Amino acid sequence: MDTTTTLGTKPDPIGATGATAATPNGMPIIQLIIALAVVLALVKWILPKILNKVNKRIVTNVGSQIRIEESAAFAGGNLYIVQAKGKSLLLSVNQQGVQCLADVTEVAPTPSLVNTQTVDEPRFDQLIEAAPAVPAFVRSHASQPTPEEVQKVLNRLARLEAA
């Protein structure tokens, strides 16, 4: 019997033997699970290592005085709050380079105006009670002005009033 058909092709081996369907076995499912495990391993462990080498980030040594306090990613790059020599700086890192956006060093809170006095300082009313009856300014200028000085001041006032 000739195994070739017209046009030189061989007949279907399944159809030739009379088998209607292949017997089901678990080999395709096992291959699928193995392929998924390989892809998951690539995404979970290998891809981040590759991206860390490609991605340009700020990296500091363990004993360095420069510390990265916080970081955040945005579409164009990354934002970092970096502490260096007692200052905290907000940095933007993108393809164009690194830019210092702001100095975000926390300033010690100033005491409120209500509670500025310490235990050693006297209160205002105590200062008034302890003040002498005649202020020091008046005591230093206690001499009476001369009539010429009074006349000069009156003339100046008259000129200012006329203007």
Side-chain angles (χ1 to χ4, degrees):
M1 173 158 100
D2 188 14
T3 59
T4 61
T5 61
T6 58
L7 301 175
T9 59
K10 293 186 178 180
D12 184 20
I14 295 175
T17 59
T20 58
T23 58
N25 60 11
M27 190 54 82
I29 293 174
I30 293 173
Q31 289 176 345
L32 176 68
I33 291 172
I34 291 172
L36 286 175
V38 168
V39 170
L40 180 66
L42 284 173
V43 170
K44 177 88 173 155
W45 291 290
I46 297 172
L47 190 62
K49 289 183 180 182
I50 293 171
L51 288 177
N52 281 341
K53 290 183 180 183
V54 173
N55 189 10
K56 296 184 177 170
R57 298 186 320 167
I58 296 176
V59 179
T60 60
N61 296 334
V62 175
S64 176
Q65 290 183 353
I66 300 173
R67 255 189 19 233
I68 299 173
E69 294 178 353
E70 290 185 45
S71 66
F74 64 97
N78 294 320
L79 291 175
Y80 294 99
I81 296 182
V82 177
Q83 185 177 25
K85 294 192 177 190
K87 284 192 167 191
S88 291
L89 304 172
L90 177 62
L91 302 179
S92 170
V93 179
N94 53 27
Q95 294 295 329
Q96 288 77 27
V98 178
Q99 294 176 340
C100 180
L101 300 178
D103 183 359
V104 291
T105 305
E106 292 182 11
V107 180
T110 58
S112 65
L113 294 177
V114 175
N115 194 13
T116 56
Q117 75 182 38
T118 62
V119 176
D120 299 330
E121 295 179 356
R123 294 189 322 259
F124 181 73
D125 61 339
Q126 292 172 341
L127 289 173
I128 295 296
E129 289 173 2
V134 179
F137 176 78
V138 174
R139 273 187 269 129
S140 66
H141 294 10
S143 64
Q144 296 293 326
T146 62
E148 293 85 25
E149 291 175 341
V150 171
Q151 190 59 40
K152 284 182 187 178
V153 171
L154 289 175
N155 290 340
R156 264 181 51 201
L157 286 174
R159 280 192 312 243
L160 288 173
E161 191 177 81

